Amino acid sequence: MSVWDSVIGQEQVVSRLRNIACADASKIAQSWLICGSAGFGSAQVARAFAAALESPDHGEGSDGISGEGELSKTAKEVLAGSHPDVHTLATKGVTLSIDDVREAIGISEQMPSTAPWRIIIIEDVDRMLERSTNVLLKEIEEPSEHTIWLLCASSVMDVLPTIRSRTQLVQLATPNEQSIAEYLTKKTDADNKLASRAARLSQGNIATAFIYASDERALSRRDELVAGLFRMHDAADAIMLAAMLIDDAKAQAEDEVQRNVEDQQKEFRRINGLGDEDRIPPKLRANYNAIGKKDDVKRKVTRVSRDVLCRSLDAIDSVYRDVLVVINDAQKSSPIINQEYKSRIVQLAQSMTASRALDCVDSIATARRRLSRNGNATLVFEALFCSLLQSQ
């Protein structure tokens, strides 16, 4: 067993970071930027790297590089997110707040309690506002002696040049379908057929593949969206499809956030020796109630719903990608992603030119930019679907 087992399709990156983790501490860079398109596993790479840096056996298990031994206690705690010397800053809302960044900086200046390093992982650093980035910049440039920063982003171009120039870059590759499918069969209840389909539809996004393999509703909602694209005939259809998509995203987000709140509440009870029906003692009540705080839940729902909508944009984009594949007769080198709708895709491809298909792809990219800039989601998707109609 190794801390790198959860990293999928990144053999060159794993080899590089594995060697660095075993190097002399004085030669290890203290600021890193790990980049890969959303869902490619940048956060998993960061956690695995942190576990390798903190573990006495460098995260390779008790018998070394063979990976057959048990992980050390330190490695297990880092991977589980419970190690006191590894702090993770994740986006609670749409962006990372400046207060959270300042808190992370304060933690970074503390000496590690049990491990060699104080490690700060920042997920989605590309969602950080410029003023927050400026606060972080000095710490990245001159980190505390025993601190390592691991920054994660979807693309290196989404990170300010001042940050890029002060970090060691780790660029992730796109995981292939086979490696993702094998991972899904191990980590979910999906059979080989479902795992393969989820891997294909995910287009290399491990997080999306995991959702499709483990949540039947998410997969069926994707099918409904794609089918809805082919059923659009006028502006009324476009507006109705947009409304369905927005309502669906909010419902999915509320369900996911509520499940997370319930899981955290159960874990709180377990840690404090309380049963499911036990009353929360007055001295613990404030901490318990903070888990499901209304404002925090609302921010998380907004964030998760945006993630669902981004996943929907990926699905829409894949349809017009398939149309271009058919128009250019490139199916041998680039197989159709939406194989379940192959006949409809071929029919759509026959009704438009490559230029019009590219216009659709541009419209999807415009919608993605508007959504990332906190545009009104309903208006963004109504405009998108209407523009797709005009191109057909």
Side-chain angles (χ1 to χ4, degrees):
M1 183 176 290
S2 166
V3 296
W4 303 104
D5 290 346
S6 62
V7 178
I8 310 302
Q10 307 293 341
E11 288 76 12
Q12 291 185 345
V13 167
V14 169
S15 177
R16 176 189 174 191
L17 297 183
R18 179 175 254 153
N19 290 334
I20 289 170
C22 296
D24 185 284
S26 63
K27 298 180 180 179
I28 297 175
Q30 291 180 254
S31 299
W32 296 79
L33 178 60
I34 304 172
C35 292
S37 297
F40 280 18
S42 57
Q44 287 88 336
V45 171
R47 282 192 289 271
F49 189 29
L53 289 167
E54 300 286 47
S55 303
D57 58 8
H58 308 299
E60 300 297 347
S62 58
D63 68 343
I65 200 71
S66 70
E68 296 178 357
E70 283 291 321
L71 291 180
S72 67
K73 180 175 180 290
T74 297
K76 290 178 180 178
E77 288 179 346
V78 174
L79 295 178
S82 59
H83 195 282
D85 292 327
V86 179
H87 176 74
T88 300
L89 176 57
T91 314
K92 296 177 182 177
V94 177
T95 60
L96 287 169
S97 74
I98 193 169
D99 290 337
D100 287 339
V101 174
R102 284 173 173 157
E103 180 185 359
I105 291 173
I107 293 173
S108 76
E109 294 172 351
Q110 301 171 10
M111 289 291 292
S113 56
T114 62
W117 299 98
R118 172 74 64 178
I119 298 179
I120 310 295
I121 300 172
I122 300 185
E123 299 180 7
D124 304 316
V125 73
D126 45 334
R127 294 194 183 193
M128 187 182 296
L129 298 177
E130 186 172 351
R131 64 192 183 112
S132 301
T133 304
N134 291 334
V135 170
L136 178 65
L137 183 59
K138 187 176 185 300
E139 294 298 322
I140 296 299
E141 186 173 16
E142 299 177 4
S144 299
E145 184 179 356
H146 295 284
T147 299
I148 288 180
W149 290 87
L150 304 179
L151 313 181
C152 304
S154 297
S155 169
V156 66
M157 299 309 296
D158 293 334
V159 181
L160 290 178
T162 49
I163 293 290
R164 298 202 304 262
S165 64
R166 290 162 172 79
T167 55
Q168 291 290 312
L169 177 63
V170 177
Q171 183 65 58
L172 304 186
T174 303
N176 60 54
E177 287 184 18
Q178 182 179 350
S179 62
I180 294 176
E182 291 174 353
Y183 172 77
L184 293 176
T185 55
K186 294 177 183 177
K187 297 296 183 179
T188 71
D189 295 329
D191 56 23
N192 291 334
K193 183 179 179 180
L194 177 56
S196 296
R197 186 187 179 205
R200 167 168 50 84
L201 296 179
S202 73
Q203 303 178 74
N205 188 313
I206 299 170
T208 297
F210 190 89
I211 290 171
Y212 288 155
S214 57
D215 188 344
E216 184 179 349
R217 291 179 302 172
L219 190 55
S220 64
R221 282 164 169 161
R222 184 192 191 279
D223 287 337
E224 290 172 6
L225 171 61
V226 174
L229 289 175
F230 294 120
R231 288 196 301 265
M232 279 197 311
H233 297 296
D234 52 34
D237 290 337
I239 291 172
M240 289 179 62
L241 184 59
M244 182 206 76
L245 185 62
I246 301 302
D247 290 344
D248 234 16
K250 184 178 180 181
Q252 288 187 63
E254 288 174 343
D255 288 346
E256 181 177 331
V257 171
Q258 184 58 39
R259 287 197 302 271
N260 289 339
V261 168
E262 291 172 356
D263 289 343
Q264 291 177 44
Q265 288 173 339
K266 288 180 180 178
E267 181 64 11
F268 182 93
R269 287 177 173 275
R270 186 193 66 79
I271 292 173
N272 290 282
L274 300 171
D276 292 341
E277 303 299 327
D278 291 344
R279 186 177 179 181
I280 305 297
K283 64 180 181 180
L284 298 177
R285 197 168 296 152
N287 291 333
Y288 181 80
N289 291 338
I291 295 174
K293 192 176 179 181
K294 187 176 181 179
D295 290 344
D296 288 342
V297 168
K298 185 177 180 180
R299 282 194 294 270
K300 290 176 182 178
V301 167
T302 300
R303 161 69 194 278
V304 174
S305 64
R306 289 300 173 99
D307 290 342
V308 174
L309 292 175
C310 286
R311 192 161 65 238
S312 298
L313 285 172
D314 291 339
I316 297 168
D317 192 59
S318 72
V319 170
Y320 290 92
R321 175 264 185 202
D322 287 345
V323 168
L324 283 167
V325 167
V326 173
I327 289 174
N328 291 287
D329 194 23
Q331 295 182 50
K332 289 185 179 180
S333 58
S334 300
I336 288 177
I337 293 170
N338 298 282
Q339 294 177 8
E340 296 78 11
Y341 298 92
K342 184 175 180 179
S343 61
R344 301 297 300 272
I345 287 170
V346 171
Q347 184 180 355
L348 184 57
Q350 291 170 345
S351 70
M352 64 171 56
T353 63
S355 177
R356 289 170 66 188
L358 286 171
D359 287 341
C360 293
V361 174
D362 287 342
S363 295
I364 297 166
T366 298
R368 201 184 296 275
R369 285 196 298 273
R370 289 172 175 169
L371 196 64
S372 69
R373 294 168 184 168
N374 297 329
N376 182 285
T378 299
L379 296 180
V380 167
F381 279 92
E382 286 179 352
L384 170 61
F385 291 144
C386 286
S387 68
L388 295 180
L389 272 174
Q390 293 170 4
S391 298
Q392 293 178 13

